[in-house]
């Protein structure tokens, strides 16, 4: 009786082990457990400092971009195609930094550094959506500057409200398709290694490192997709600026030349910061995760912070609109 009981207990234990292994397998490949965000590999004492830096940058992003959108909506003089695009750029900057900053700050502060599987998918999807949209918006803005400087007499006809709306809607649509493809490609990988993502948010490359799937095809498709997105936008920007530079150099008056260059230099500054950081990020080998964190910090938080500053400091219209708004506020007070 005892022998049969012990055999039964053994089988019960063995079947429990097998079923729990099976559960673990299925959870690995289907429902997925939480991921852990490692963040920056720094001493614990520095976590508070990093938290405060992130907080300061995020507050500047909120103030700068919400302020820029408010000025553009309030001031009727800024009711032009250029500012319509700029308002959308501020909206995109505000959102994609909000996808990353609050979660990153919470990992510095709390003991739990976990992010749910659904949260990770959402972060990858939304970040890819807004970042790709920003690339297309910057191309639309380059085209707008090209028409304004090279065909000024036809500007109001060519850059109609309808065309501007179509260009912005097209930017969001292309961003959405890009994001759906990138996200679905990333999460069809099977993650059977560790759950620890060596980054401060869910990003495609650190997630690839956790996968035990064959990454060659996945990386090739990811690279091709990046080229398909980035190449047309870069070509539009470069060609537009080639025409702009040749037109500006033919302007006789120094004043006219200065004015034309000042409207373009802001846009060029924004383009340089964003694309510089993205290229740097993709050129860094996988051996240097800390360097790639710094690069992604540039385009996830530094760019959205700098954009409103670049546009407001370099722009006479925005400065005047801000002055007018402050005067009105003082008059009320």
């Amino acid at each position: 009786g005892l022998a049969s009981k012990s055999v039964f207990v053994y089988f019960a234990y063995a079947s429990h082990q097998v079923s729990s292994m099976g559960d673990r397998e299925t959870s690995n490949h289907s429902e997925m457990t939480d991921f852990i965000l490692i963040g920056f590999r720094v001493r614990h004492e520095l976590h508070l400092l990093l938290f405060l830096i992130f907080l300061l940058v995020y507050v500047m992003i909120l103030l700068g971009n919400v302020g820029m959108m408010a000025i553009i909506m309030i001031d009727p003089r800024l009711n032009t195609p250029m500012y319509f695009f700029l308002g959308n750029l501020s909206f995109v900057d505000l959102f994609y930094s909000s996808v990353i900053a609050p979660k990153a700050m919470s990992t510095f502060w709390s003991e739990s550094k976990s992010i749910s599987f659904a949260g990770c998918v959402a972060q990858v999807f939304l970040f890819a959506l807004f970042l790709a949209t920003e690339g297309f918006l910057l191309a639309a803005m380059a085209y707008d500057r090209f028409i304004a400087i090279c065909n000024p007499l036809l500007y109001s006809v060519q850059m109609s409200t309808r065309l501007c709306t179509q260009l912005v809607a097209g930017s969001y649509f292309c961003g959405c398709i890009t994001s759906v493809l990138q996200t679905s490609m990333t999460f069809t990988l099977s993650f059977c290694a560790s759950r620890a993502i060596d980054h401060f948010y869910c990003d495609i490359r650190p997630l690839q490192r956790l996968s035990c799937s064959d990454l060659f095809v996945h990386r090739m498709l990811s690279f091709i997709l990046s080229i398909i997105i980035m190449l047309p936008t870069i070509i539009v920007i470069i060609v537009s600026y080639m025409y702009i530079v040749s037109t500006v150099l033919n302007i006789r008056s120094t004043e006219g030349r200065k004015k034309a260059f000042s409207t373009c230099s802001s846009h060029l500054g924004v383009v340089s910061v964003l694309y510089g950081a993205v290229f740097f990020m993709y050129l860094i080998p996988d051996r240097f995760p800390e360097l790639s964190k710094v690069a992604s910090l540039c385009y996830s938080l530094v760019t959205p912070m700098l954009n409103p500053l670049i546009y407001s400091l370099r722009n006479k219209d925005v400065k005047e609109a801000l002055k007018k708004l402050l005067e009105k506020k003082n008059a009320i007070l």
Side-chain angles (χ1 to χ4, degrees):
L2 189 67
S4 64
K5 199 176 274 183
S6 64
V7 166
F8 172 73
V9 168
Y10 172 76
F11 271 114
Y13 173 74
S15 67
H16 171 71
Q17 286 292 89
V18 169
S19 72
S20 69
M21 275 171 67
D23 287 347
R24 219 172 301 140
E25 271 308 295
T26 53
S27 79
N28 258 344
H29 293 285
S30 56
E31 58 191 312
M32 294 295 283
T33 49
D34 292 0
F35 287 106
I36 287 139
L37 294 168
I38 290 173
F40 291 92
R41 291 178 187 274
V42 292
R43 289 202 312 276
H44 196 70
E45 307 86 82
L46 290 173
H47 279 193
L48 178 63
L49 179 67
L50 279 172
F51 173 80
L52 292 171
I53 291 167
F54 266 66
L55 184 64
L56 178 69
V57 169
Y58 189 53
V59 167
M60 284 178 75
I61 289 168
L62 290 176
L63 291 174
N65 289 293
V66 171
M68 186 62 93
M69 286 191 286
I71 289 169
I72 289 165
M73 285 161 110
I74 292 164
D75 200 302
R77 283 176 307 172
L78 303 183
N79 191 8
T80 65
M82 178 177 152
Y83 294 104
F84 176 63
F85 291 127
L86 193 51
N88 276 283
L89 190 73
S90 286
F91 175 79
V92 166
D93 281 343
L94 182 67
F95 269 83
Y96 83 70
S97 56
S98 299
V99 168
I100 283 161
K103 184 65 193 168
M105 286 192 289
S106 78
T107 59
F108 291 134
W109 202 242
S110 67
E111 284 303 307
S112 158
K113 297 184 184 302
S114 67
I115 182 168
S116 68
F117 182 68
C120 197
V121 174
Q123 236 185 8
V124 169
F125 176 77
L126 291 170
F127 187 64
L129 164 68
F130 289 118
L131 196 64
T133 303
E134 175 137 341
F136 288 108
L137 269 177
L138 289 171
M141 289 170 85
Y143 177 71
D144 168 69
R145 293 297 81 214
F146 157 69
I147 300 290
I149 289 165
C150 300
N151 294 330
L153 300 175
L154 296 170
Y155 181 69
S156 55
V157 180
Q158 285 190 322
M159 293 306 288
S160 62
T161 310
R162 187 162 172 247
L163 178 66
C164 292
T165 311
Q166 283 172 345
L167 286 170
V168 168
S171 297
Y172 284 107
F173 179 70
C174 293
C176 194
I177 287 176
T178 306
S179 183
V180 167
L181 291 171
Q182 283 280 26
T183 310
S184 53
M185 267 164 47
T186 304
F187 289 98
T188 47
L189 295 170
S190 52
F191 302 98
C192 53
S194 118
R195 281 277 170 278
I197 299 169
D198 194 5
H199 215 304
F200 59 94
Y201 64 94
C202 280
D203 197 20
I204 293 164
R205 278 177 75 179
L207 278 165
Q208 284 175 352
R209 285 185 216 127
L210 302 186
S211 168
C212 55
S213 308
D214 178 23
L215 286 176
F216 178 74
V217 175
H218 181 270
R219 281 191 171 144
M220 279 305 292
L221 287 170
S222 195
F223 179 72
I224 290 162
L225 186 62
S226 302
I227 294 294
I228 290 168
I229 306 154
M230 286 173 80
L231 212 57
T233 59
I234 290 168
I235 288 168
V236 168
I237 291 166
I238 290 170
V239 170
S240 296
Y241 274 100
M242 279 164 66
Y243 276 106
I244 287 167
V245 168
S246 67
T247 307
V248 169
L249 292 175
N250 288 330
I251 295 173
R252 294 276 182 271
S253 71
T254 324
E255 189 57 44
R257 200 180 291 181
K258 220 170 170 181
K259 196 182 172 201
F261 264 133
S262 77
T263 60
C264 297
S265 59
S266 311
H267 180 257
L268 262 182
V270 170
V271 169
S272 309
V273 173
L274 181 73
Y275 280 102
V278 171
F279 278 128
F280 183 57
M281 168 81 182
Y282 277 96
L283 291 173
I284 295 167
D286 268 353
R287 295 193 304 279
F288 307 112
E290 294 305 303
L291 257 182
S292 67
K293 284 176 203 175
V294 173
S296 50
L297 196 62
C298 283
Y299 65 74
S300 60
L301 293 176
V302 177
T303 307
M305 181 185 74
L306 288 180
N307 285 358
L309 288 172
I310 291 170
Y311 272 101
S312 55
L313 296 174
R314 302 268 344 185
N315 204 300
K316 208 168 73 186
D317 295 338
V318 174
K319 275 188 209 163
E320 278 174 16
L322 193 60
K323 209 156 73 179
K324 205 169 134 189
L325 200 69
L326 292 170
E327 279 167 12
K328 209 182 270 182
K329 205 173 178 185
N330 289 338
I332 292 164
L333 291 169

